[in-house]
Amino acid sequence: MDANEPREQGTGWSQFGATPPAAGGFPRRDTIIMEQPPPPPPPAPPKKPFYGSKAVAGLALAAAAVGGGVVGGVVANAFQPDPVAVSTTSSNPGTPSPVFRNTANELTVAQVAAKVQPSVVMIQGQSGEGSGVVLSEDGLILTNNHVVVGAGQGGGQMTVKFSDGKTAKATVVGTDPATDLAVIRAEGVSGLTKATLGNSDLLKVGDDVLAIGSPLGLDGSVTKGIVSALDRTLTVGGEQRQVPPGWGQEQAPADEPTTIGGAIQTDASINPGNSGGALVNAAGELVGINTAIASQAAGGGVGFAIPVNTAKQVSDQLISSGKVTHAFLGVSVTDATGDVPGALIREITAGSPAEKAGLRQGDLITKINDKTVDGGDTVVGQVRGFKPGQAVKITYMRDGQPHDATVTLVEKK
């Protein structure tokens, strides 16, 4: 497996939730019987926040499966009494993460949702649908590459549906299959509400998030959860997609698989159609683009989003030139089979940055920039997250001894 190409083996993460979420319940409160008559009741206390949740189950539309993706989860309201959520766009690592407030205070979940919903759209096509996030007032929209590929199959033109119900035709500005990102432009529009971009590097496990998109074709849907893990590596695509009966074919062509590094994991209810939609923090800032799910047929799953910092880097290039440059290391790797986890170098490209840094065939890569390498996918995902010209530290084992090498990556040709 080339460190700059998708893995050849494995089916990757499933993008289809097989079982709808079960209905939730309400906390039980036992009644205490007092032996003495109670004193006169005090003044009525402020209304308590609503903690219960109830899920509505339904079947996924076949066309919506093309945009299959992420979202959901339920968490209780935050317990801090502070009145306002703060922005995370500051580069100061000590900046506290925003949290959702109780319903008695400002910037509740409802207020964050109302702020973000106008920036999230539904993308519809002849053979599929998904979601997208508005980047500019004149119609630039960020989404997943697999949403664009699915919606545009059969030569059909894409249509964008906005939160106010209006629609517009859309054309492709550029796509990047390697990161599963794309930018489209809605035609003949102006004055759109663009998303506020946050800083995904400041996310912490446990941070509150909302996911907004069009699961099962239900545009403008909002679900709540937390960041359950960071820096995940996943392989997406490669699945055959079912299409509705009567469309002239039983299955749509499979997406090309791709490996994505640095993904945000969220405890999410799993529904097709959320791909390309917004994952936002409690200040209403975009922190990720919902992309994929991992699930089992017997139950729920977890969702994954591309960090907004990666999405911004890719979308800026797509908007300016219609294409994206990627970093090149120059190694072909496979998963280690011994007691030490890592990625075994099977082959090195002559004249590549890896060769110039002294790496050899048979070396076992164990860390990249001090991040542990679990297997070949980790190397692929990490390299795709770097820029050409960036220097990275690679820790590897050779003859049982650890070594470090600094590699300056170049642009992939």
Side-chain angles (χ1 to χ4, degrees):
M1 180 186 67
D2 193 305
N4 300 278
E5 300 296 336
R7 291 177 64 88
E8 297 178 356
Q9 65 273 19
T11 58
W13 298 101
S14 169
Q15 298 188 23
F16 308 98
T19 304
F26 296 89
R28 176 178 176 180
R29 298 180 181 275
D30 294 329
T31 302
I32 300 176
I33 302 176
M34 307 296 294
E35 296 182 1
Q36 299 297 327
K47 187 177 179 180
K48 293 184 178 180
F50 178 75
Y51 289 106
S53 65
K54 187 174 183 179
V56 179
L59 297 177
L61 298 175
V66 176
V70 195
V71 242
V74 176
V75 295
N77 290 321
F79 295 104
Q80 289 104 334
D82 305 311
V84 182
V86 298
S87 169
T88 64
T89 53
S90 167
S91 61
N92 182 1
T95 302
S97 299
V99 294
F100 296 125
R101 304 306 182 192
N102 291 332
T103 54
N105 295 322
E106 295 183 349
L107 218 54
T108 64
V109 171
Q111 290 170 317
V112 173
K115 173 184 176 181
V116 178
Q117 279 178 317
S119 303
V120 182
V121 303
M122 181 179 184
I123 300 173
Q124 299 170 300
Q126 183 177 359
S127 60
E129 59 190 25
S131 306
V133 179
V134 176
L135 293 180
S136 71
E137 296 179 357
D138 61 353
L140 289 172
I141 295 169
L142 176 64
T143 185
N144 283 138
N145 174 69
H146 74 263
V147 171
V148 172
V149 170
Q153 281 177 356
Q157 190 175 30
M158 289 177 292
T159 299
V160 173
K161 182 179 180 182
F162 299 96
S163 62
D164 59 3
K166 295 180 180 178
T167 61
K169 298 297 183 183
T171 56
V172 176
V173 174
T175 64
D176 184 37
T179 56
D180 195 23
L181 291 168
V183 175
I184 63 175
R185 181 185 289 277
E187 300 174 352
V189 298
S190 61
L192 300 180
T193 302
K194 62 181 182 180
T196 301
L197 304 187
N199 185 349
S200 51
D201 288 345
L202 298 181
L203 285 175
K204 298 179 179 63
V205 174
D207 282 352
D208 294 333
V209 288
L210 289 185
I212 304 177
S214 304
L216 311 180
L218 303 172
D219 56 300
S221 297
V222 180
T223 49
K224 183 172 62 171
I226 62 169
V227 174
S228 53
L230 294 167
D231 291 326
R232 293 299 198 197
T233 300
L234 58 146
T235 300
V236 298
E239 301 93 353
Q240 294 287 337
R241 297 185 305 275
Q242 300 292 331
V243 298
W247 284 25
Q249 54 182 347
E250 295 181 356
Q251 290 183 330
D255 294 327
E256 289 295 326
T258 186
T259 300
I260 300 172
I264 303 163
Q265 179 181 318
T266 179
D267 63 335
S269 61
I270 308 302
N271 284 301
N274 278 110
S275 282
L279 186 72
V280 302
N281 62 20
E285 298 165 337
L286 183 71
V287 293
I289 298 296
N290 298 323
T291 298
I293 63 172
S295 64
Q296 295 180 347
V302 292
F304 299 91
I306 299 171
V308 70
N309 291 8
T310 299
K312 183 179 186 305
Q313 174 188 330
V314 171
S315 62
D316 285 347
Q317 295 182 66
L318 290 176
I319 293 168
S320 62
S321 65
K323 61 180 182 179
V324 179
T325 59
H326 290 287
F328 179 69
L329 175 61
V331 298
S332 177
V333 294
T334 187
D335 294 346
T337 57
D339 296 333
V340 180
L344 183 68
I345 298 178
R346 296 190 307 177
E347 185 178 350
I348 293 185
T349 303
S352 66
E355 184 184 60
K356 293 178 180 179
L359 293 174
R360 302 176 188 171
Q361 181 181 7
D363 289 345
L364 181 67
I365 300 176
T366 58
K367 291 182 180 180
I368 298 180
N369 278 354
D370 296 325
K371 178 184 177 181
T372 300
V373 171
D374 297 322
D377 273 349
T378 307
V379 176
V380 175
Q382 285 290 295
V383 171
R384 283 184 173 164
F386 296 134
K387 301 177 183 178
Q390 186 171 349
V392 298
K393 185 178 77 170
I394 294 182
T395 301
Y396 61 96
M397 299 288 291
R398 179 184 296 168
D399 298 328
Q401 298 299 318
H403 302 272
D404 290 328
T406 301
V407 181
T408 301
L409 304 175
V410 298
E411 180 180 343
K412 183 183 178 183
K413 302 298 184 182

